[in-house]
Amino acid sequence: MPFVIKNTFICEVNATAAGEEASSPSNPRRQRRRARTHHADGSGSGSNSCSDHSGEEELHGGEAAREQESSENSEASHAVPTSSGRGRSISSLRVAQLLPELPKLAFEEEGAKELAELVETASREDVVSLAQTFRGCVQEASRHPFAHLLIESFVHNLGTDDCQFIVDELLLPNHDIAAMAMDNFGSSVLATLLIFANAEVSSSMAEIVDRAFDGDATKLTHHKHGHKVAQAVLEHGSSQHLHMIAVALVKEAARATRHRFAAQVVAEALLQCNNEDVLLLASAILSKPGAVVSLACHCFGVHVVRSLLRIPQFAPTVLEDMKNSQKKLQKDKFGAELLLELGLGSGANGGA
């Protein structure tokens, strides 16, 4: 008796039935005989045909089981680190090796570099463990050329919830935050904290900014490193602190708009402060006749003019002044560049 393979089942086919199927289906009412499934034990049953739904369920069930097994194997290859150490990632193992050497290792150039890379690849749990080793030395680390990068990396990767101890240590009474704000590395740490601070620590950050200003934001806005903190406050600080910066800049408008660092703060303040403060600051800048052209021809003042052109209330006046002095601006390096940006330049660029 011939056999054929159907859907992975070995079925017996009746020769008579095979002949009937081969003939022309002239009689649509003729019923074709079903092939019988033969099981491994040799028994057969007419109710278990190849097209039987139970057979299909067994087939699909086997495929699902294989897919599940494959998925489990894949997950096992990426196992979460366990307390026993089985399945731990290379990063986790390296963290365990370095923990006894922290935080001392972060104060060395090569050590800080390796730790910074490790923070980017390690699990959150491991990064928290690394961060906790800095308890008690945050102030020193924040102003260190190498270790400050780790403090910033912890804040960036964990957020301020898990780094609350960093804020708390910076707020200790014996810590001079105003000096930190004007430090090359400390200012960077404060700016990072301002960027990533959330609602839970906003009150703490407000106190940090108050102590950084030390009653007047003028010194900070004009400082080589402090102006970075002032800019971060403008972008992420409270309205009260933005107002304090605006007031300080209004008093020093003529000097600040041409200052290497303060001009950057003025340009940002014009875009970030509330309408009332922007009006006061812009009016102070434009109060002197010819201020627009003079600033447009200045290497730092030109940044201020760009911001003024983005304020609808002042843009028409500023643009009109520039058109009236187009020939003069065309002869200046910075003025000519600004004209080109506005589509008013001819490409001429004379020396200042």
Side-chain angles (χ1 to χ4, degrees):
M1 182 175 292
F3 292 86
V4 296
I5 297 177
K6 294 188 177 182
N7 296 334
T8 71
F9 290 91
I10 301 176
C11 304
E12 176 185 352
V13 180
N14 188 286
T16 306
E20 291 176 353
E21 289 181 8
S23 61
S24 175
S26 58
N27 185 0
R29 287 178 294 181
R30 177 178 295 179
Q31 299 295 323
R32 292 185 299 172
R33 294 184 61 181
R34 297 287 185 181
R36 292 178 297 168
T37 301
H38 282 255
H39 299 281
D41 58 0
S43 62
S45 173
S47 61
N48 292 329
S49 66
C50 292
S51 60
D52 195 326
H53 293 294
S54 63
E56 294 182 1
E57 291 174 357
E58 291 175 2
L59 175 61
H60 293 304
E63 293 176 351
R66 287 192 294 273
E67 290 177 0
Q68 181 178 357
E69 181 181 357
S70 175
S71 176
E72 290 174 352
N73 291 335
S74 177
E75 292 175 359
S77 65
H78 299 84
V80 177
T82 62
S83 58
S84 63
R86 296 184 62 186
R88 297 184 68 181
S89 67
I90 295 176
S91 296
S92 294
L93 292 173
R94 187 56 179 155
V95 168
Q97 293 173 346
L98 294 179
L99 282 177
E101 302 180 46
L102 295 176
K104 181 181 178 181
L105 191 63
F107 291 82
E108 302 171 3
E109 183 175 5
E110 292 302 320
K113 186 182 299 183
E114 180 182 2
L115 287 169
E117 295 174 354
L118 196 57
V119 168
E120 297 298 326
T121 58
S123 67
R124 183 179 182 85
E125 180 182 357
D126 286 332
V127 176
V128 170
S129 298
L130 291 172
Q132 293 299 315
T133 64
F134 283 77
R135 283 184 177 274
C137 64
V138 170
Q139 295 180 19
E140 180 185 2
S142 296
R143 300 177 70 171
H144 191 274
F146 308 132
H148 84 280
L149 297 174
L150 271 298
I151 299 295
E152 291 183 35
S153 187
F154 292 144
V155 175
H156 179 269
N157 286 276
L158 297 176
T160 44
D161 286 338
D162 290 313
C163 296
Q164 179 64 45
F165 75 93
I166 293 177
V167 177
D168 294 339
E169 289 192 29
L170 293 179
L171 285 173
L172 291 175
N174 66 338
H175 186 221
D176 189 349
I177 296 181
M180 178 182 176
M182 289 182 281
D183 177 77
N184 185 9
F185 311 115
S187 60
S188 181
V189 171
L190 291 180
T192 301
L193 281 170
L194 282 163
I195 293 171
F196 292 98
N198 55 28
E200 285 73 15
V201 296
S202 59
S203 59
S204 299
M205 289 308 303
E207 184 178 350
I208 284 181
V209 175
D210 283 335
R211 288 170 59 175
F213 283 179
D214 197 20
D216 186 2
T218 303
K219 187 175 181 180
L220 203 65
T221 59
H222 288 69
H223 193 270
K224 178 180 180 179
H225 306 302
H227 80 280
K228 301 175 186 175
V229 178
Q231 286 183 292
V233 171
L234 287 170
E235 294 181 27
H236 308 282
S238 66
S239 57
Q240 176 186 354
H241 291 130
L242 267 67
H243 175 69
M244 292 177 66
I245 291 177
V247 170
L249 293 174
V250 167
K251 293 188 299 184
E252 297 280 341
R255 173 173 171 248
T257 52
R258 291 169 173 78
H259 192 275
R260 179 176 182 178
F261 307 116
Q264 299 177 46
V265 182
V266 173
E268 191 67 31
L270 288 169
L271 303 177
Q272 300 293 346
C273 291
N274 61 41
N275 292 335
E276 183 178 349
D277 287 337
V278 170
L279 177 61
L280 290 173
L281 181 56
S283 299
I285 295 170
L286 300 174
S287 60
K288 184 179 179 180
V292 170
V293 177
S294 176
L295 289 174
C297 294
H298 193 276
C299 57
F300 306 129
V302 69
H303 302 303
V304 176
V305 178
R306 286 191 175 97
S307 290
L308 288 169
L309 286 167
R310 294 176 60 182
I311 305 173
Q313 187 174 354
F314 297 99
T317 301
V318 173
L319 190 59
E320 185 65 25
D321 287 349
M322 292 185 65
K323 287 181 178 179
N324 292 337
S325 303
Q326 191 167 344
K327 289 184 179 180
K328 181 179 179 180
L329 291 171
Q330 199 67 257
K331 297 177 182 179
D332 180 82
K333 173 183 177 180
F334 304 104
E337 289 178 354
L338 187 57
L339 288 174
L340 284 173
E341 292 174 12
L342 298 172
L344 301 174
S346 60
N349 187 11

